[in-house]
Each structure stands twice: as C-alpha cells, then as structure tokens.
Amino acid sequence: MRAVELRHLEYFLAVADTGGFTQAAKALHVVQSGVSATIKALERELGAELFTRTPQEVTLTAAGRTFLPRARETLDSARAAKDAVHGMRGAVQGTVTVGTLTSIDLVDLPELLAALRARYPGVTVRLRAAMAGSAGLAQHLREGRLDVAFLALPPADLDTRLLASAPLALYVPGSHPLARTGRATLAQLAEFPFVDTPPGFANRTIVDQAFTAAGVTREVTVEIANVATAARFIQAGLGIGFLGHSLVPEHSGLATVEVTDADLCWELSVATASTRRPSAATRAFLDLLAERHPSP
C-alpha cells in the first residue's frame, strides 16, 4: 500500500460515514469529482472495490467493511502523533465530533462550546444530531463516526459519566378525563393512546420498560423524533405522554397526572468509545464539560 495516503483514508471514511460521494464532498469541503477520483485510486491500489454504487445509494462492499476499522485505526494513530507534537508546544488542536440528542436542555451546549472556543481556539467542534436516538448515537460511537456523545440509557460497552437527571411526568390535555382525577395507574393509562418518540430513543425505552415491568401493553399512535415538540401534539388531543418538565412551556393548557405505581426518570450521560483513546481535542471537551457539569 505504498501509494495510500492519509487523504485517501479520510475520503474513504467520509463516504462510508455519510453514505454518499456528494455528502462526503460537502463534509470535506471539496468537489465531488475529487472524492470520486480519490476513492477510485484507493480501490486500484487495494485491488478491490470498497463501495457498491447505485443511483439510489452507496454502500460498503465486504472488502470495504473489512477495510473500515483499519482505516480508522490508522487515522487515529496519525491524530495521536499530531497531538503529541502539539502537546509539547502547549497547544491543543484538532476536531471533536459530538453527537447530540434532539433536546438536551440539562446542558447548555452553546455556552459550553463558546467556553471551549475561548480556551482552545485551535479546537473545532462538529455537532451531529441524533437520527435514531441514543441507540443510534451509541452505534456511531462504536463505529468511530463520533468522538463523544450525549446519551440517555447508555450501553455498558461505552465509557460513560452521568451528567444530570430529571423526572418524567405524565401530561394530558386540560380537558382530558385523567386531568379531573389527577391520579392513575399504568394499567389505567394504557386505555389511552400515547404520543412518544420512536423505538431506540431513550424516552420511549424508559416508558416501554415501565409498562413491560407492570405487565401492561400501551399503544403509541403518534411517534415524533423531536421530543421537544411532543407537548404540541398532546395539546392537540392526539394522545397523552411522559415528558420532562422543561419540555412543557408555561400556560400550555396541559395537566400533569400522578402515576401511582411508577417513578420514571430520564438521565443524561456523556459517552466515549471504550475501544478508542480520546484525542487531545476530545479530552479538552470532556475536561471542560466536567468543570461545568461535575457528576451528581
């Protein structure tokens, strides 16, 4: 692999992570033809096609899937070498890719990033929103697409630290029958349709687990990826739902109902992959986060 350069690996990973040559070119700030030519040169050097190309999608071949972790390891090693040199000069440089949930009001992320920029101007942060909830972010951490992520219900195979927790309350429209009683069991709640996030999102998992533990089945009739908008759907009478108090605006017209046989809580953690050593930029981000949000 005498002709393979770090640039080839960077372009390969960009296509693999974004799922297309156009998307990769945008992420790399280069023209698409340059990405295509670089990938073709890499495939010629390796003697194997790395991607299956169709008009609808670009996917990794078996050779591409085999090559993927090795490419990440090589770039990680190169990054660690650069970190060591910069560290000798007392400088922290690099890029940290951060995965975020659709709503993490328990952490003031804009303020955190502003403080990071002020302290480490050589660090660039790339934010990536969760498309499949905490489960999707956790998988992207394992695959190396993210350096750090904010998760709820983090899996055991990641390195995690609890940041904050908040209770989940049941909200119903003010005219709902449950608003008049003010109290209900999970079995009684199951008689009504629910508004919730899709499977894989922590809010959905927490509530599903509570109903499963109680031996009760509920029906989610409206699924929304952005839990911050759930209150509006409940206001419209499309269902009832469990939400954190910060997600419900004042004067929303919604009422809370005490759930007598369950105590649901949503927890926010920060996570990194246990199989990869954090870069200097990632460590700077984590250290500043720990200063502002020590473990409870």
Side-chain angles (χ1 to χ4, degrees):
M1 287 176 37
R2 62 189 182 281
V4 175
E5 304 173 359
L6 293 179
R7 178 174 59 89
H8 292 86
L9 303 183
E10 182 182 8
Y11 282 32
F12 165 73
L13 291 177
V15 176
D17 291 345
T18 63
F21 290 88
T22 301
Q23 300 93 316
K26 291 180 180 178
L28 294 166
H29 305 291
V30 298
V31 296
Q32 180 179 339
S33 59
V35 176
S36 298
T38 300
I39 296 301
K40 288 181 180 178
L42 178 60
E43 290 176 325
R44 284 196 301 269
E45 181 63 27
L46 295 174
E49 289 191 353
L50 300 173
F51 295 101
T52 299
R53 303 157 173 86
T54 70
Q56 291 76 31
E57 61 181 357
V58 176
T59 58
L60 287 166
T61 62
R65 291 192 295 272
T66 300
F67 187 64
L68 182 64
R70 301 295 180 262
R72 290 202 195 279
E73 290 173 6
T74 301
L75 283 182
D76 286 345
S77 296
R79 182 178 60 182
K82 290 177 62 177
D83 287 346
V85 173
H86 293 150
M88 291 182 63
R89 301 201 305 259
V92 177
Q93 296 181 349
T95 299
V96 53
T97 305
V98 180
T100 68
L101 298 168
T102 54
S103 179
I104 56 167
D105 54 295
L106 298 179
V107 171
D108 189 341
L109 192 54
E111 186 276 335
L112 178 69
L113 297 186
L116 184 71
R117 173 62 61 86
R119 184 178 299 184
Y120 303 106
V123 173
T124 299
V125 177
R126 296 174 179 168
L127 294 180
R128 298 291 184 264
M131 302 305 294
S134 287
L137 291 176
Q139 184 59 32
H140 285 179
L141 274 176
R142 297 186 189 99
E143 295 171 353
R145 299 188 188 189
L146 298 175
D147 298 309
V148 58
F150 293 101
L151 305 176
L153 296 179
D157 63 331
L158 299 177
D159 290 335
T160 63
R161 183 174 68 84
L162 180 63
L163 295 174
S165 60
L168 290 177
L170 181 76
Y171 284 89
V172 302
S175 58
H176 196 278
L178 290 175
R180 291 191 292 272
T181 60
R183 292 164 54 89
T185 63
L186 291 176
Q188 291 171 323
L189 297 182
E191 299 176 8
F192 303 95
F194 271 80
V195 173
D196 210 332
T197 49
F201 284 69
N203 200 88
R204 176 69 173 267
T205 302
I206 292 169
V207 179
D208 280 350
Q209 289 177 346
F211 275 87
T212 299
V216 180
T217 301
R218 65 169 182 148
E219 183 180 9
V220 177
T221 56
V222 177
E223 293 183 350
I224 51 173
N226 188 354
V227 69
T229 66
R232 296 171 56 191
F233 290 84
I234 298 173
Q235 285 173 328
L238 294 171
I240 63 178
F242 284 93
L243 298 173
H245 294 297
S246 61
L247 297 177
V248 181
E250 293 185 19
H251 312 297
S252 65
L254 299 181
T256 58
V257 176
E258 178 188 356
V259 181
T260 59
D261 57 347
D263 186 13
L264 281 63
C265 185
W266 190 89
E267 296 182 340
L268 179 67
S269 297
V270 61
T272 56
S274 57
T275 57
R276 300 174 64 215
R277 180 180 178 182
S279 67
T282 300
R283 290 196 301 271
F285 178 89
L286 293 172
D287 289 345
L288 187 61
L289 180 63
E291 289 181 18
R292 282 165 164 69
H293 296 277
S295 297

